[in-house]
Amino acid sequence: MNARDTVLSRVHDALAIAPPPAVRVPREYRRDRELPAEQKRELLVDRLEDYRATVHQCVAADAATTIAAALGDATRIGIPAALDRGWVAEFGGEVLVDSADIPAARLDELDGVVTGSAVACAETGTIFLDGFSDRGRRALTLVPDLHVCVVALSSVVAGVPEAVARLEPTRPTTLISGPSATSDIELDRVEGVHGPRTLHVVLVLDS
Amino acid sequence: MSGTFLGMPAAPPRGSGNLRGAESFPAAARTELANTQMRRNVGKATRTIRDKRVQVTGELPDWEQLRSAGAAIKRDVLSRLPELLEQFEQAVIARGGQVHWARDAAEANAIVTRLVKDTGADEALKVKSMATQEIGLNEHLATEGITAIETDLAELIVQLGEDRPSHILVPAIHRNRSEIREIFLRSMPGVDPDLDDDPTHLADAARRFLRERFVRARVAISGANFGVAETGTLSVVESEGNGRMCLTMPQTLITVMGLEKLIPTYADLEVFLQLLPRSSTGERMNPYTSMWTGVAPHDGPSEFHLVLLDNGRTATLADEVGREALHCIRCSACLNVCPVYERTGGHAYGSTYPGPIGAVLTPQLAGMDTGGSDPNSSLPYASSLCGACFDACPVKIDIPSLLVELRHQHVEEAHFSAEQLMMKAASAAMSTSGRWTAAQRAAQLGRLLGRGGRIRTLPPPGNAWTSARDLPVPPKQTFRQWWDSSEGRAAIDDAHREGGRR
């Protein structure tokens, strides 16, 4: 027998030796929660700041100015091809429009990156990127040291179940909760090991 | 072919790999207890994580409901494992992945080695993974001329220090900053000779060392925290971004996953993405989680291989009590609350899996009956059965009961039961007063075996008892001798007089 058939027949044998009862999974934990926008905003900002992300709040009309300010000293940035160009209209530096054939070494030369996001979870301060549309492929939000992530308040949900329900499983999905961090040395938290050391979140309130 | 039932079911074989130490837990623990630096580091770490975990789990009003759901999902997976494994395999293949099955450690190592060689690379990046540690993958790759580079900071510290991990979550927790600085200066190629021991600078040194390797990597090897049967989605949770680098930068990604890591549906992630980070690091969410389903066009690796690992898991599944250990999501909460682990650290357990869950999982995966002195047979006794691990476990694994069950199995399986023999001897000795007096006199000879008030090893067959515990030395006098002595008579006369006065 090949390994696959052997392992599967072992599983059958194990369950025949000790037959398990059928199981009903209790789902009494909180799901499908709705929160008023103001509460979601407060919770998300609190959690993001707790993770040492910098939060900027603005209305859609001021997004370009806010994003340019969040980019600070950056002179070369990358953006996903589908990003709203209006968002980087106030940025004075060089803008690289990402595509799949741009090698990682070139991304490593960028100072920062601006992307959108799919959904955000207020209770944990987690932003979900799914590689679709203006969220960028995974390498783009990973290699440059500064990530400016635009989150629409309308895409913020209360908890993890509500966020997972909005995802498309076949898309490569990255969950970010603050900048890269390690606690491996005496449990002292250090921001930034291999991912972006700085995360700026631009929360657009009226989109 | 699948689901073939070949007559009488046979008990599946145990696993192999880094699942057995060189010496018994008490012997190894004695060495570790003498390492005060390690004890101080581990003690500080476990206390800190413990406090954070209590705080963030207390934040959720539905924490107990989440635990119940997590436990039930895992039970459900095990009860439907054949169909879910096949569903998972089909889903991964449908999305452009390739699936390989491994009966044991050697087979998994051979598969991964072949896959790495097929890429033409002689170097592979690694994401911290218990499964690949369990099978001894790095060591095997080295014998085949392939260098495995650990990219998790703690694993890198362990690897460069030619050391062993001591904790599931923070493997280098037994090292302090000055030790880490020394390891980097000694073993990290191209390190700045003026490097100090500031954690920020140490982390930055690791960033510089690995950045260029990430950018040029051709192949990476990871484990998996979850595999979703319904969609074929795999998931790795981490903090540093080294996982994201390994999972997305190379052309080829190889993931080794124990078959118990399966969950039925994508929506079930909503339970475990809440349970795992809060139990593990005491955070509301870990900084980074990656989820991928097969191969994504123009985003990440163009080739994806999944190696599904048995290595004793089906043997564990065949035990209707012990199979509960397969629910484990490797959060390490049980380590951080364990009074035994806190004092001995992880090395004393001798296996990839330390702490309370390791004391259960290791003997089940690899067995504990390779002869009279199998170190794994001492693991079920490496616990005070205080129950803190059960309370902390996010998927409600009843570790104390499993330990008791394994002790029972160990006693049943032993060729002769030393404890039974001793109980018989005690019963005979207590049957007449003459024998009892003689036995007590004989026991005083035990004082010759003791040092510092403890007896560490009794001669056979009593050594079976002392293999897992020390004994206090017997007192100088038996009670009867004291009763008959002038000191005893005087004390009794005093007591009589005192009684008479009242």
Side-chain angles (χ1 to χ4, degrees), chain A residues 18 29 51 180 186 193, chain B residues 177 207 240 270 285 310 323:
Chain A
Y29 55 87
Y51 274 123
S180 157
E186 296 182 25
V193 194
Chain B
R177 61 186 71 189
R207 181 185 176 100
E240 294 173 6
E270 71 191 18
M285 188 66 88
D310 178 354
R323 68 165 59 127

Side-chain angles (χ1 to χ4, degrees), chain A residues 4-5 10 12 18 27 29-30 51 108 138 143 169 173 175 177 180 182 184 186 188 193-194 197, chain B residues 1 3 62 89 154 177 204 207 211 239-240 244 268 270 284-285 287-289 291 293 299 310 323:
Chain A
R4 177 186 186 276
D5 295 341
R10 284 178 187 174
H12 279 285
R27 305 272 179 187
Y29 55 87
R30 295 172 302 162
Y51 274 123
D108 203 17
R138 286 173 284 178
V143 179
T173 302
L175 283 59
S177 304
S180 157
T182 185
D184 281 344
E186 296 182 25
D188 271 8
V193 194
H194 306 297
R197 279 181 279 202
Chain B
M1 185 216 79
D62 57 347
E89 178 189 40
R177 61 186 71 189
D204 200 49
R207 181 185 176 100
R211 178 55 66 130
S239 296
E240 294 173 6
R244 291 178 65 190
D268 290 325
E270 71 191 18
R284 297 186 182 103
M285 188 66 88
Y288 294 141
T289 299
M291 305 201 280
T293 308
D299 189 345
D310 178 354
R323 68 165 59 127

